[in-house]
């Protein structure tokens, strides 16, 4: 007999009374009916689970190869050198978290979560892989020149990333691309330590000061190219170069007809935001010829759009640009470089599909091969010398080099609350319903008695809505409504129609650390970084700390609206966001004055855990976040100290307030301050 009926089997259905003692029956009480669920995951699951099954469930091989895998402990591990990494040389992310978050007295770094783990070895491998892909394509096709890439610093302007690119890329003449005056200054300074042949590509809208900076860079023997985004920039370049006595090297950005139809192609095509039309390109070439400066024109640049989905589209765009390049050479320009821009995509969802903004249907070798063949085909037909091929691949270089690790601190309830929680006798509350609600309740119980489970759901919904209306009208008390809610939730759970998705509350600001998810719907792989030797038993979405309703992650790779998760059983539960090394730091804001995460730079080493932390930076404090918005923490502390003195607040109160300014805005759970840090903080407090 159904547990929901709660009546003697011999009693006739219509007139029975509600006689629960408030205890809920176990799930699965409907005979031969819906399967038992726990947190929305079917309970009749296989008893064994493996790390391989977790890797498959989260598509780790699809989006993570060759850098991320699941180790035998059930943790996510990093392969710093890709497939060439030996198994015993992998870096366990959980050990990195422990090292970073353990107190200093225990040998840790005392950092707070969220934590950004930087992996310079992965960045080095990505750069080398890109270079080797082009080198292979050039050799295979007997191409007559070389590949020489640049990193667009807008992708991630972090000092150490830019310095790493320059250092790792020096043997390959790898350079930098700048799109603003600040980025140009950064690139100029960084390239003083790079290869003298490395390109410094100057893109973006330009004023006289920007152009002067680029010419100063050229006078310092930096291999600087000023790329014209608009025709009128030419006059400023010519005038400034004549005034400074520095002969420029000029590039043109072509506005191609080839258009990327996805989200990331909105700046491509004839109506794109940047670039010169064919008529404008001819106008610039002829003006340079009249000025006897046509030899200054040496580079053609174009950009189809980020995340180019297929090599078919890529070949089409490169082929069109190569024709323009050849025509400029025919007109007498000293052309030597074709800059194919960005667009080399990465596979965020592991599907290897060319039909989605979240994936691409090619690898590095296929990308490089398509570019080399398209340029070579156009140049050979018109008997033009093969140019240096330059690309501005940012996303493909830096996306893999960092992992954002954050903690799920709690989750909402998975099962209906016991009716006993609303009072000593829920039956009496339900017995006092209005006539129409009481009729719905009796119909619900009768349907349960007869085993008509679909009808149960109808009457339960009807009863709940009717009681909500009565509550709004003041007819029903809060205890009555809670008892009805409990009953209806139980019915939904027993029928297996309750919402199986649980909300996990994460110690993170989505707006600070994952802005592209909110802004443009970009999906990133999000995976538990431990417990992967256990089967997840919950479907969850992630809700961040901010007060904004958009501060949640409820869309996941593979088109899923929930993420398989494990129960939080009194301990830490850590998740990682992967492939977020491009753009997220540069775009992240200060919503709710949550700052950036703590950062550790982790390199492979011969130590016991195969890694060494070479840099540790605490996350932005409350004071730092306030200063960023032009507040003055010192003045705020002084004002609070003055008010505390007027109100006779003790030193302990004032010290606690002062310490809060030095703390990260994120949640701190169960952590103890180092004694030395406490003493320093106390000394600052007592100086108020």
């Amino acid at each position: 007999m159904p547990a929901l009926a709660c009546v003697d089997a011999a009693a006739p259905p219509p007139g029975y009374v509600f006689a629960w003692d408030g205890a809920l029956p176990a799930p699965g009480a409907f005979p031969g009916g819906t399967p038992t669920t726990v947190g929305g995951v079917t309970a009749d699951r296989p008893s064994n689970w493996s790390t391989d099954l977790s890797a498959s469930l989260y598509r780790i091989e699809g989006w993570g190869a060759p850098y991320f895998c699941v180790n035998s402990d059930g943790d996510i591990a990093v392969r710093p050198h890709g497939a060439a990494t030996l198994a015993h040389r992998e870096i366990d992310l959980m050990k990195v978290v422990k090292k970073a978050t353990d107190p200093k007295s225990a040998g840790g770094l005392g950092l707070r979560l969220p934590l950004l783990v930087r992996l310079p070895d992965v960045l080095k491998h990505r750069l080398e892989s890109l270079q080797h892909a082009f080198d292979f394509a050039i050799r295979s096709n007997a191409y007559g020149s070389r590949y020489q890439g640049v990193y667009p610093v807008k992708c991630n302007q972090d000092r150490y990333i830019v310095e790493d690119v320059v250092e790792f890329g020096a043997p390959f003449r790898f350079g930098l691309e700048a799109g603003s005056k600040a980025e140009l200054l950064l690139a100029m300074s960084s390239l003083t330590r790079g290869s003298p042949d490395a390109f410094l590509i100057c893109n973006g809208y330009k004023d006289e000061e920007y152009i002067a900076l680029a010419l100063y860079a050229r006078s310092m023997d930096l291999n600087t190219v000023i790329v014209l985004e608009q025709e009128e920039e030419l006059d400023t370049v010519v005038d400034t170069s004549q005034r400074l006595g520095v002969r420029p090297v000029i590039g043109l950005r072509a506005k191609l007809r080839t258009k990327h139809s996805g989200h990331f192609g909105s700046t491509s095509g004839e109506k794109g935001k940047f670039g010169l039309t064919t008529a404008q390109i001819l106008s610039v070439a002829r003006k340079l010829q009249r000025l006897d400066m046509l030899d200054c024109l040496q580079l053609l640049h174009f950009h189809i759009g980020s995340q180019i989905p297929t090599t078919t589209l890529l070949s089409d765009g490169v082929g069109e640009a190569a024709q323009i390049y050849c025509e400029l050479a025919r007109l007498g320009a000293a052309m030597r470089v074709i800059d194919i821009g960005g667009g080399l995509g990465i596979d965020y969802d592991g599907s290897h599909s060319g039909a989605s903004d979240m994936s691409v249907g090619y690898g590095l070798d296929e990308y490089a091969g398509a570019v080399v063949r398209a340029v070579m085909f156009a140049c050979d037909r018109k008997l033009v010398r093969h140019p240096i091929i330059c690309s501005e691949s940012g996303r493909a270089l830096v996306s893999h080099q960092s992992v954002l690790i954050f903690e799920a601190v709690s989750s909402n309830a998975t099962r209906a609350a016991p009716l006993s929680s609303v009072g000593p006798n829920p039956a009496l509350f339900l017995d006092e319903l209005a006539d129409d609600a009481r009729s719905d309740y009796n119909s619900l119980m009768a349907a349960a008695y007869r085993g008509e489970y679909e009808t149960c759901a109808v009457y339960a919904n009807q009863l709940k809505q009717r009681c909500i209306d009565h509550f709004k009208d003041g007819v029903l008390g809060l205890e009555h409504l809670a008892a009805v809610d409990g009953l209806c939730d139980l019915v939904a759970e027993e029928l297996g129609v309750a919402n199986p998705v649980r909300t996990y509350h994460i110690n993170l600001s989505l707006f600070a650390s994952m802005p592209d998810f909110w802004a443009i719907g970009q999906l990133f792989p999000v995976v538990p970084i431990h417990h992967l030797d256990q089967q997840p038993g919950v479907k969850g979405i992630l809700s961040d700390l901010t007060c904004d309703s958009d501060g949640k992650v409820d869309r996941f790779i593979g088109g899923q609206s929930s993420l398989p998760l494990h129960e939080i059983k009194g301990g830490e539960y850590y998740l990682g966001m992967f492939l977020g090394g491009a753009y997220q730091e540069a775009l992240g804001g200060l919503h709710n004055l949550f700052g950036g995460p703590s950062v550790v730079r982790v390199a492979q080493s011969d130590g016991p855990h195969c890694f060494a932390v070479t840099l540790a930076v605490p996350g932005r404090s409350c004071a730092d976040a306030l200063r960023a918005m032009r507040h003055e923490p010192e003045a705020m502390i002084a004002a609070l100290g003055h008010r505390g003195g007027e109100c006779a607040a003790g030193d302990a109160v004032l010290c606690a307030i002062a310490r809060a300014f030095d703390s990260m805005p994120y949640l701190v759970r169960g952590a103890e301050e180092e004694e030395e840090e406490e003493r320093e903080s106390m000394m600052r407090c007592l100086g108020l």
Side-chain angles (χ1 to χ4, degrees):
M1 183 178 64
L4 282 180
C6 299
V7 295
D8 190 317
Y16 63 78
V17 296
F18 183 77
W20 275 352
D21 62 1
L24 292 180
F30 286 99
T34 58
T36 299
T37 60
V38 179
V41 179
T42 305
D44 53 349
R45 56 173 72 104
S47 58
N48 58 339
W49 190 253
S50 70
T51 56
D52 288 341
L53 290 173
S54 284
S56 176
L57 178 66
Y58 294 109
R59 299 187 177 199
I60 294 173
E61 184 64 26
W63 57 260
Y67 303 110
F68 304 105
C69 64
V70 183
N71 64 21
S72 58
D73 292 330
D75 300 337
I76 296 286
V78 180
R79 293 170 173 161
H81 308 296
T85 307
L86 299 176
H88 68 281
R89 304 286 288 167
E90 296 171 352
I91 299 173
D92 189 320
L93 284 179
M94 278 301 296
K95 293 178 180 176
V96 175
V97 171
K98 178 174 174 56
K99 174 66 177 177
T101 59
D102 275 357
K104 293 179 180 179
S105 59
L109 300 172
L111 298 178
R112 306 293 188 214
L113 266 65
L115 179 71
L116 190 68
V117 180
R118 293 206 192 283
L119 303 161
D121 294 322
V122 171
L123 175 57
K124 185 173 188 288
H125 188 270
R126 290 297 293 175
L127 193 152
E128 292 173 345
S129 298
L130 177 61
Q131 183 70 42
H132 293 160
F134 271 99
D135 289 347
F136 178 77
I138 286 168
R139 289 194 307 272
S140 300
N141 292 278
Y143 187 80
S145 189
R146 66 177 185 268
Y147 169 74
Q148 193 174 324
V150 297
Y151 167 63
V153 296
K154 67 180 180 182
C155 255
N156 194 323
Q157 301 97 336
D158 179 81
R159 169 189 169 185
Y160 295 98
I161 290 176
V162 176
E163 290 180 354
D164 282 346
V165 169
V166 171
E167 177 187 348
F168 301 153
F172 311 117
R173 306 183 183 92
F174 216 87
L176 299 174
E177 179 269 345
S180 70
K181 281 181 275 192
E183 288 185 349
L184 178 53
L185 290 167
L186 183 160
M188 290 169 61
S189 173
S190 298
L191 285 175
T192 60
R193 298 180 293 278
S195 167
D197 296 325
F199 289 129
L200 171 50
I201 303 294
C202 301
N203 288 332
Y205 291 114
K206 304 169 189 70
D207 58 14
E208 184 178 347
E209 187 174 31
Y210 183 123
I211 291 167
L213 283 172
L215 292 170
Y216 293 146
R218 184 141 196 91
S219 71
M220 297 175 185
D221 292 331
L222 295 175
N223 194 5
T224 310
V225 184
I226 300 172
V227 178
L228 304 182
E229 305 275 3
Q230 297 176 301
E231 184 178 2
E232 53 266 30
E233 290 176 350
L234 177 61
D235 293 334
T236 309
V237 170
V238 171
D239 293 344
T240 307
S241 66
Q242 291 175 347
R243 177 172 59 83
L244 298 178
V246 180
R247 197 164 180 82
V249 172
I250 296 173
L252 300 178
R253 177 165 178 170
K255 187 176 291 187
L256 302 184
R257 267 73 165 186
T258 304
K259 182 172 174 58
H260 174 2
S261 60
H263 168 83
F264 294 107
S266 59
T267 59
S268 63
E270 290 184 90
K271 297 182 180 180
K273 181 177 179 182
F274 300 107
L276 282 68
T277 64
T278 52
Q280 291 171 325
I281 290 172
L282 281 172
S283 175
V284 167
R286 288 168 178 161
K287 183 167 186 176
L288 287 171
Q289 189 174 36
R290 291 194 301 270
L291 294 169
D292 196 24
M293 293 179 66
L294 194 54
D295 63 306
C296 296
L297 180 55
Q298 299 181 17
L299 178 146
L300 181 75
H301 170 45
F302 67 94
H303 180 62
I304 301 174
S306 296
Q307 282 288 105
I308 296 173
T310 66
T311 54
T312 301
L313 176 62
L314 174 68
S315 298
D316 191 25
V318 174
E320 180 187 350
Q323 296 295 337
I324 298 173
Y325 177 94
C326 292
E327 289 299 300
L328 288 171
R330 182 181 63 82
L331 292 172
M335 303 300 291
R336 67 186 188 95
V337 183
I338 185 165
D339 179 353
I340 64 174
L344 173 54
I346 63 170
D347 199 342
Y348 287 101
D349 65 10
S351 65
H352 305 295
S353 167
S356 166
D357 286 335
M358 304 306 158
S359 184
V360 292
Y362 54 83
L364 289 180
D365 289 338
E366 295 164 288
Y367 175 87
V371 171
V372 169
R373 287 190 295 271
V375 174
M376 188 174 177
F377 177 78
C379 291
D380 286 350
R381 287 189 67 185
K382 296 198 172 181
L383 303 179
V384 172
R385 184 178 60 182
H386 296 169
I388 296 171
I389 296 175
C390 176
S391 76
E392 302 176 3
S393 302
R395 186 189 303 267
L397 280 184
V398 301
S399 291
H400 300 77
Q401 59 78 37
S402 68
V403 180
L404 177 68
I405 297 175
F406 51 94
E407 187 178 10
V409 295
S410 64
S411 66
N412 62 352
T414 56
R415 295 203 54 201
L419 291 178
S420 57
S421 66
V422 301
N425 194 344
L428 294 179
F429 295 146
L430 292 170
D431 221 15
E432 296 177 7
L433 297 176
D435 290 343
D436 52 358
R438 182 65 185 174
S439 175
D440 290 334
Y441 164 70
N442 285 334
S443 297
L444 167 62
M445 291 296 105
Y449 181 87
R450 295 190 299 268
E452 299 172 356
Y453 306 130
E454 291 184 4
T455 305
C456 281
V458 172
Y459 281 119
N461 289 335
Q462 188 169 303
L463 170 63
K464 187 170 186 176
Q465 187 55 54
R466 199 183 302 275
C467 288
I468 290 171
D469 292 340
H470 290 170
F471 178 76
K472 290 179 179 179
D473 292 337
V475 176
L476 196 66
L478 183 64
E479 298 93 335
H480 299 76
L481 183 63
V484 170
D485 283 342
L487 171 63
C488 294
D489 288 346
L490 174 63
V491 171
E493 186 172 289
E494 289 289 326
L495 292 171
V497 297
N499 182 9
V501 178
R502 201 192 310 185
T503 298
Y504 275 56
H505 308 114
I506 57 174
N507 192 14
L508 185 75
S509 166
L510 183 147
F511 301 93
S513 296
M514 299 174 62
D516 272 350
F517 176 84
W518 166 76
I520 62 173
Q522 176 67 57
L523 301 183
F524 299 95
V526 177
V527 180
I529 65 168
H530 58 153
H531 298 318
L532 297 177
D533 54 347
Q534 305 167 28
Q535 183 175 14
V538 177
K539 295 178 181 178
I541 63 171
L542 310 178
S543 177
D544 78 353
L545 295 178
T546 68
C547 62
D548 199 296
S549 60
D550 289 338
K552 61 183 177 181
V553 183
D554 55 1
R555 301 184 307 280
F556 302 90
I557 63 171
Q560 301 302 308
S561 59
S562 62
L563 182 70
L565 296 169
H566 305 84
E567 293 281 358
I568 303 176
K569 298 179 180 178
E572 297 88 356
Y573 189 54
Y574 298 111
L575 299 106
M577 182 198 80
F578 296 80
L579 309 188
Y583 296 107
Q584 302 318 293
E585 293 175 66
L587 295 174
L590 284 170
H591 190 275
N592 277 159
L593 291 184
F594 287 112
S598 301
V599 179
V600 291
R601 179 178 161 91
V602 176
Q604 192 179 58
S605 76
D606 295 327
H609 298 313
C610 301
F611 71 88
V613 176
T614 60
L615 179 73
V617 181
R620 183 177 284 183
S621 68
C622 292
D624 294 334
L626 289 163
R627 287 191 188 97
M629 302 305 291
R630 298 183 178 85
H631 296 281
E632 299 179 3
E634 294 78 13
M636 298 165 74
I637 292 173
L640 290 167
H642 180 72
R643 173 57 64 91
E646 291 178 342
C647 300
D651 287 343
V653 172
L654 300 180
C655 286
I657 292 173
R659 282 198 302 272
F661 279 87
D662 288 335
S663 178
M664 283 180 70
Y666 295 95
L667 301 180
V668 177
R669 298 204 314 145
E672 296 182 357
E673 296 287 344
E674 293 281 338
E675 291 183 2
E676 181 179 352
E677 293 173 343
E678 281 285 349
R679 285 197 298 270
E680 291 177 357
S681 182
M682 287 291 290
M683 291 177 66
R684 288 195 299 271
C685 295
L686 295 174
L688 289 175

